[in-house]
Amino acid sequence: MRRLRGGAAVAVVLAFTVAGCKGGTTPADGGPSGSAVPTAGNARAVSPLDNPDGTRPGLAPITSAADKAKARSVIGKVATKGRGPKTGYARDEFGYAWMDSAPGNIPFAHNGCDSRNDLLKRDGEDVRFRSGSNCVVTSMTLHDPYTGKTIQWSKSHATKVQIDHVMPLSYDWQMGASRWSKGKREDIANDPLNLIPVDGPANGAKSDSGPATWLPPNKQIRCSYALRFAQVSLKYALPVTPADKQTMLRQCGG
């Protein structure tokens, strides 16, 4: 299934080990005001309804009433609880970034390429590699679902694209992952279901926010984003806050 576009160890900023950097909050509607209009469509992007393991590219919009109802049904299964303390959280508790050795039989693991490059391969177009390598990505085109922008990325401008943990790792920690085994934390940190290459500044603005305080600026994919958040939550039996669940349902017409 690989088109020789994945890779091991892109030399990009290792500080991107959390699902974002520093950022603010958003208006009361649960997301930033003003939606970016996509500059180019992504014909390869797949709806999360058709991509339950995260191995297929992108995050296509969910538009039909029937599909939105299906998304609400999935989101409705998510458990809720209050967000716990962040005490003891460190990125290293989820393993080093971006490891290829997560133990839980997650997709792409143990394939010889690190998880970051697996995601660049999955979602990028026109991917090029370092000479002599079929793993180290040096340039690509990304149709960013979060902003709708088309990004021409190269290793010389590495921060333009970051890998977002849809369900942020510190959020996971606060919702129960602090009690997990190290191996299970390594799984969620490297699971393609929980990883999306996106515009770097948008990822920084998200930081460790849940959907009630941050949503992608591109309103067209907010239902898809909410569903993907729910898919990760359900796979790993992690609850979300009541406010986050309400916001997630609302993105899909609930």
Side-chain angles (χ1 to χ4, degrees), residues 34-73:
S35 174
V37 176
T39 58
N42 183 1
R44 296 175 61 247
V46 177
S47 165
L49 288 168
D50 300 319
N51 190 20
D53 62 0
T55 58
R56 300 172 69 186
L59 199 64
I62 295 173
T63 57
S64 74
D67 283 349
K68 287 184 177 181
K70 292 177 184 177
R72 290 196 303 273
S73 177

Side-chain angles (χ1 to χ4, degrees), residues 12-21 89-99 115-116 161-165 167-170 172 185 188-190 194-195 203 207-208:
V12 290
V13 179
L14 293 179
F16 304 150
T17 53
V18 183
C21 303
Y89 169 76
R91 175 59 177 85
D92 288 348
E93 294 290 338
F94 291 79
Y96 66 87
W98 298 87
M99 65 192 311
S115 56
R116 177 181 175 92
V161 169
Q162 298 177 19
I163 307 296
D164 180 43
H165 286 97
M167 201 169 187
L169 300 185
S170 61
D172 301 337
R185 289 196 292 266
I188 198 171
N190 294 279
N194 195 31
L195 298 173
N203 187 49
S207 188
D208 63 353

Side-chain angles (χ1 to χ4, degrees), residues 84-90 93 170 173-174 178-179:
K86 199 174 177 179
T87 307
Y89 169 76
E93 294 290 338
S170 61
W173 182 267
Q174 292 175 276
S178 61
R179 299 185 295 275

